[in-house]
Amino acid sequence: MIVAEIKNPTVTVRIHDDFFDTAHQARINRISQIVTDHYKRRQAEMESQKEEPTQLPLS
């Protein structure tokens, strides 16, 4: 039996469990947000590094 389903544009998670507690849903949502925020920060850092011009050492 599917007791919970979490969807976003890239993934669908279905939890099959007779003992599912609704408190877990809030935890799963929070963990998902933490992971998403991390990837957004990492992507922004990578893009900002690409935009910085490479400076040659002065001799």
Side-chain angles (χ1 to χ4, degrees), residues 8-57:
N8 69 35
T10 57
V11 70
T12 299
V13 175
R14 291 185 183 100
I15 299 173
H16 303 263
D17 192 336
D18 293 334
F19 302 103
F20 179 74
D21 181 9
T22 55
H24 295 307
Q25 179 73 33
R27 289 185 191 121
I28 291 170
N29 290 341
R30 181 65 183 134
I31 291 168
S32 176
Q33 188 62 49
I34 290 168
V35 171
T36 299
D37 291 346
H38 168 76
Y39 279 109
K40 285 179 182 178
R41 280 192 308 273
R42 188 169 75 172
Q43 185 68 29
E45 288 172 2
M46 290 172 59
E47 288 176 4
S48 70
Q49 289 176 355
K50 288 179 185 177
E51 292 173 1
E52 293 176 5
T54 306
Q55 295 181 354
L56 298 175

